[in-house]
Amino acid sequence: MILGVVTGLLGALCQAIYYFVAAYVGSRYTLSTRAMLVFSHLLMGGASLLGVALLLPGSGARLEAVWMPLLAMNVCYLGGQAALFRALRRDVASRVSPLLGLKVVLLAGVTALAAEETLSVLQWTAVILCGGAALAMSLAGGRLKPSAAGWIMLAVAGYSGCDLGVVALTRGIEVPGLHGALLSVFLAYSVAGLLVAPVGIGLSRRQWRKAFKTWPVASAWLVSMLLMFIAFSILGAVHGNIIQSSRGILSIALALLATRLGLGLADPLKRGRVFYQRLACAVVMAGAIVLFQLG
């Protein structure tokens, strides 16, 4: 349990970093949403194929039992990823990323309806607090642009489907411990690289020459997923997302740090009304995480 919480928090930190890196790389090198999606996933796919080659032999993995969740999670994931890139091009990361915390509400409802996971009253309270704090944290800096709102909701739906697939994959592959979690993530992103490759057909040579510029995006996301797969395999989808929702807090902290350091991000954050509103939301979200643990 402790390992799941620690890896979940570290994964949330890497995701918070990823949002800023993705926004920076996309604007710095004028890469389209399609180019960002294709190039970063081809790089992750190449690294993941190497990981599969190292971990699969002798693992006893039941690949025939997980091909369906593997395919389904990748379709949901790639749809969510494309929607997130679209949202980040229309609004700033510190307003967009907290809204991914709404996943926990959707996942709690889905798992409850499917009778896969029973939550206590305290845990349902934590879910509602977490979702409300995520929404309030985003709105504290101003209303999300309508052009970004629809895309972030699609991202929430896509990532939720992916998270359910992650749990099914890591548990269905029947390879225990860290070995199983690592093999699962490498299998997932090997397939993602193959699925996304045809999407790159038609991209200009000018865009392809910038393919390796997306390596920071690929690195930040792959590391975050390595950590989150471990957390999800231990904690499950709802509990894992409660921990993962701390990325909203961390996004605010990174925006404040970047502003202090004068890094010139698109969404500078200074002390004042917005800062303290978001700090209050962060306290509520931290309380929700503790409440879920107690429940």
Side-chain angles (χ1 to χ4, degrees):
M1 180 70 74
I2 293 175
L3 177 62
V5 172
V6 171
T7 53
L9 290 172
L10 290 175
L13 175 60
C14 289
Q15 280 194 353
I17 293 170
Y18 163 83
Y19 300 133
F20 289 97
V21 170
Y24 172 79
V25 170
S27 60
R28 171 69 176 80
Y29 298 108
T30 58
L31 288 166
S32 66
T33 298
R34 181 160 63 120
M36 286 276 287
L37 185 72
V38 170
F39 300 154
S40 62
H41 284 83
L42 286 177
L43 292 178
M44 285 190 284
S48 295
L49 283 171
L50 177 60
V52 170
L54 292 173
L55 295 177
L56 184 60
S59 67
R62 296 184 64 244
L63 298 184
E64 72 282 357
V66 296
W67 69 268
M68 180 61 81
L70 187 60
L71 182 61
M73 66 169 288
N74 270 290
V75 171
C76 290
Y77 162 73
L78 290 171
Q81 194 81 337
L84 177 63
F85 280 143
R86 292 274 187 175
L88 287 171
R89 292 178 72 88
R90 287 162 172 77
D91 213 327
V92 294
S94 61
R95 276 201 292 269
V96 168
S97 63
L99 288 176
L100 292 178
L102 295 175
K103 274 199 309 172
V104 71
V105 179
L106 180 58
L107 283 167
V110 170
T111 55
L113 289 172
E116 292 181 359
E117 193 170 345
T118 302
L119 302 182
S120 68
V121 173
L122 275 179
Q123 288 176 325
W124 271 112
T125 303
V127 166
I128 294 168
L129 284 174
C130 195
L135 182 61
M137 186 180 289
S138 174
L139 294 175
R143 185 173 298 178
L144 190 74
K145 293 177 181 176
S147 59
W151 288 113
I152 197 62
M153 290 301 102
L154 287 174
V156 167
Y159 286 142
S160 296
C162 176
D163 289 349
L164 293 172
V166 168
V167 175
L169 174 61
T170 55
R171 295 179 179 176
I173 201 171
E174 295 187 5
V175 178
L178 182 61
H179 189 171
L182 293 177
L183 180 56
S184 294
V185 76
F186 288 140
L187 281 169
Y189 284 90
S190 296
V191 173
L194 293 173
L195 288 176
V196 84
V199 182
I201 297 173
L203 287 172
S204 68
R205 289 185 179 180
R206 182 178 62 84
Q207 294 272 304
W208 275 102
R209 280 196 288 266
K210 300 175 184 177
F212 284 99
K213 301 292 186 183
T214 62
W215 73 263
V217 179
S219 300
W221 189 258
L222 189 57
V223 170
S224 73
M225 287 299 101
L226 286 168
L227 292 164
M228 292 310 304
F229 267 57
I230 296 171
F232 275 49
S233 68
I234 297 170
L235 302 176
V238 178
H239 194 173
N241 267 279
I242 286 283
I243 301 299
Q244 195 181 25
S245 64
S246 61
R247 65 174 165 244
I249 305 169
L250 296 168
S251 292
I252 305 305
L254 288 173
L256 180 62
L257 178 63
T259 300
R260 289 267 181 114
L261 296 176
L263 296 182
L265 292 176
D267 52 346
L269 185 63
K270 300 178 181 179
R271 288 184 182 274
R273 181 179 60 84
V274 171
F275 172 77
Y276 289 110
Q277 285 176 344
R278 285 178 168 171
L279 182 61
C281 294
V283 171
V284 172
M285 195 171 286
I289 293 171
V290 173
L291 194 63
F292 195 95
Q293 295 292 125
L294 293 175

